[in-house]
Amino acid sequence: MNSVVYTRLTDNLHMLQYRDYETKYFEGLWHIPEGVTYNSFVLETNEGLVVFDTWKRSLGKLYVDEFSKHFDVKDIKYLVTHHMEPDHSGSIPYLLASNPNMIVLGHVLSKGMIESFYQVKPGFNAVKDGETLKLGGFTIKFIHTPWLHWPETIMSYIEEEGALLTCDAFGSYGIPSKAYYDELSPEERTGFTRYMAKYFANIIGHFRDWVVKNVEKLSQLNMKISTILPAHGVLYRGGDVAGVVEKYKRLGVGEPISGKTVIVYSSMYGFVEDIVNLMIEHLEKNNIKPVIHGFTDKKWSDISEIIADVYQAENLIIATATYEAKTFPIMKHVSELIIEKTPVNKNILIIALYGWGGKAGSELEELFTRHGFRNLDVIEFRAGQHQAVWGQLKDRLSKIVRGNG
């Protein structure tokens, strides 16, 4: 597998892409067996090069080596940092070591981060929102897009190329076989639609209100965007530009997939799993096929996939064991991530089982209610009594069944 890919996108615009098959947990948190890419872009002008973002910190030397196969580092006039997270800014000190005369452009907040993160003090120009740079026949417009997903995030629009460079926004997990979405097979396109939704839920979801604000801001700038070039994943051009913007808007507003039902459960000794199996059977008889994620003594579901599924769910069922008179620990952790990362517009059913004392149900109810989730039902009962409460539980499930009908 070739980890480094150079692509000439146009006569003057290039991409240096690192395909990361090694990172298993993005940000040390999100499991990504599908891998991830770091996309750095280079604009070639007759007055020098403009570099947009780099690769992650551990790849700094490799980045300069690969860059030097196609360009002269000494020709870099400007380095634009859209976002200071080290998976994009990590190679900055390596470039500066080879060309200390380049000027770094970014949000005013980025200067302090560069100096702190990398112990360097480059020539730095803070760009204002809407400011333009003219260089070698090209016009670059800088757009402040805060909280996508750090406060200093900006984008760049290269007018003559019709290219919007968006850093994390419109990005995805996954390692595409080709540069552009329209070059992928139908199966791979489906995969990348999922990877984008998963990346959004994991990384951007907490700031979804800012997605709506910033997408609206971009739409009002009357830019003639022909390509969207994110710093992770696949690129978009032509008719796919409007499509990916629409997908992003839907994710930003938290639009659920109609009828999508997700069950997340923990079961220590099989009692919770018994009730989950009864619910699955009942829902499937009513033409609802729930997405199941479980934590048992034999399997653990992938938390990054749970957050991706719950993000777009209309209905969420949380079934948990009680542990030391509290919510089972992994379910408490998953619930807190759901609260932090996903919209509140869900029907939630909480089912809590206990042995010698019930507490988990009320604890989760208070937790979700405190954070704005309003459509909640709670059933709590002693393990082994699932047949006795099944009628009551079916009544609670009827809300899901009616909604799907």
Side-chain angles (χ1 to χ4, degrees):
M1 292 183 291
N2 189 6
S3 294
V4 177
V5 177
Y6 162 80
T7 305
R8 187 165 196 150
L9 302 175
T10 69
D11 288 344
N12 295 89
L13 190 58
H14 313 257
M15 178 174 68
L16 281 172
Q17 181 183 76
Y18 185 82
R19 298 179 170 185
D20 186 352
Y21 300 94
E22 295 80 33
T23 295
K24 303 304 179 188
Y25 293 91
F26 194 72
E27 296 185 330
L29 178 60
W30 308 108
H31 187 218
I32 51 165
E34 62 269 39
V36 70
T37 70
Y38 314 109
N39 304 334
S40 172
F41 301 96
V42 182
L43 179 65
E44 193 174 13
T45 84
N46 57 25
E47 294 183 42
L49 303 175
V50 183
V51 176
F52 301 88
D53 298 319
T54 64
W55 295 346
K56 69 187 292 188
R57 185 182 177 194
S58 60
L59 301 171
K61 183 180 182 304
L62 177 63
Y63 178 81
V64 174
D65 290 345
E66 292 297 325
F67 188 97
S68 299
K69 292 178 181 179
H70 306 280
F71 312 99
D72 188 338
V73 177
K74 301 293 186 184
D75 289 338
I76 300 175
K77 183 86 170 179
Y78 296 104
L79 168 59
V80 179
T81 176
H82 290 125
H83 168 41
M84 275 302 299
E85 199 166 6
D87 55 334
H88 307 294
S89 68
S91 300
I92 289 177
Y94 295 88
L95 282 177
L96 286 169
S98 300
N99 179 0
N101 296 319
M102 73 178 67
I103 302 297
V104 178
L105 304 177
H107 192 282
V108 65
L109 296 176
S110 296
K111 182 176 184 292
M113 294 185 196
I114 291 173
E115 293 176 358
S116 178
F117 291 0
Y118 306 120
Q119 301 297 298
V120 294
K121 290 192 174 184
F124 183 90
N125 290 346
V127 296
K128 298 181 177 67
D129 188 23
E131 181 177 340
T132 59
L133 169 69
K134 293 185 180 295
L135 184 74
F138 291 89
T139 305
I140 304 169
K141 185 183 186 72
F142 302 106
I143 306 152
H144 288 196
T145 50
W147 299 112
L148 297 184
H149 57 119
W150 280 17
E152 85 303 350
T153 306
I154 66 172
M155 296 182 186
S156 297
Y157 174 63
I158 307 172
E159 185 176 313
E160 292 75 14
E161 297 284 347
L164 183 66
L165 291 83
T166 60
C167 202
D168 281 334
F170 304 104
S172 62
Y173 297 131
I175 298 173
S177 61
K178 305 288 185 182
Y180 287 102
Y181 183 80
D182 64 11
E183 298 178 294
L184 306 181
S185 68
E187 294 76 18
E188 199 173 0
R189 290 182 199 179
T190 299
F192 269 89
T193 296
R194 169 66 178 187
Y195 296 154
M196 187 181 79
K198 177 181 172 183
Y199 180 86
F200 187 101
N202 292 176
I203 308 302
I204 310 290
H206 179 79
F207 301 103
R208 57 191 170 274
D209 290 346
W210 286 96
V211 170
V212 177
K213 293 175 185 177
N214 283 304
V215 169
E216 179 61 25
K217 177 180 180 177
L218 292 172
S219 71
Q220 294 176 356
L221 295 178
N222 296 317
M223 297 180 292
K224 297 178 180 178
I225 302 170
S226 59
T227 57
I228 288 180
L229 309 179
H232 294 299
V234 73
L235 315 180
Y236 301 89
R237 65 184 174 186
D240 291 325
V241 167
V244 74
V245 170
E246 183 59 32
K247 288 176 186 176
Y248 225 68
K249 285 169 63 177
R250 289 200 299 267
L251 289 168
V253 299
E255 181 180 310
I257 296 173
S258 180
K260 183 172 182 178
T261 301
V262 178
I263 300 175
V264 185
Y265 75 97
S266 66
S267 189
M268 298 167 65
Y269 298 108
F271 292 108
V272 176
E273 197 160 45
D274 287 343
I275 200 73
V276 166
N277 288 333
L278 283 174
M279 289 191 295
I280 293 170
E281 182 180 0
H282 178 74
L283 291 171
E284 289 183 343
K285 283 181 180 177
N286 287 275
N287 300 314
I288 300 170
K289 187 169 180 59
V291 179
I292 312 299
H293 294 285
F295 298 90
T296 73
D297 57 356
K298 295 182 177 62
K299 64 183 180 184
W300 271 40
S301 287
D302 188 326
I303 292 176
S304 60
E305 298 288 349
I306 292 174
I307 299 303
D309 279 323
V310 172
Y311 191 93
Q312 295 182 288
E314 186 174 31
N315 308 298
L316 171 62
I317 299 171
I318 296 174
T320 183
T322 301
Y323 193 84
E324 296 177 350
K326 297 178 182 177
T327 304
F328 194 73
I330 189 64
M331 293 301 291
K332 179 73 174 294
H333 174 59
V334 169
S335 295
E336 288 172 341
L337 284 174
I338 288 170
I339 288 167
E340 284 293 319
K341 295 290 187 177
T342 76
V344 301
N345 57 344
K346 307 180 189 308
N347 302 310
I348 300 180
L349 174 59
I350 296 170
I351 302 165
L353 275 66
Y354 62 88
W356 46 265
K359 183 69 175 176
S362 59
E363 182 181 40
L364 286 178
E365 181 179 23
E366 191 278 331
L367 183 65
F368 276 93
T369 301
R370 176 159 41 93
H371 287 89
F373 292 79
R374 294 289 178 259
N375 299 324
L376 282 97
D377 282 321
V378 180
I379 297 179
E380 190 157 21
F381 57 94
R382 180 166 284 174
Q385 298 302 306
H386 52 279
Q387 294 293 346
V389 301
W390 178 237
Q392 182 184 0
L393 186 55
K394 280 199 297 184
D395 287 342
R396 306 295 175 87
L397 291 174
S398 65
K399 182 186 295 185
I400 295 173
V401 173
R402 286 197 305 270
N404 196 58

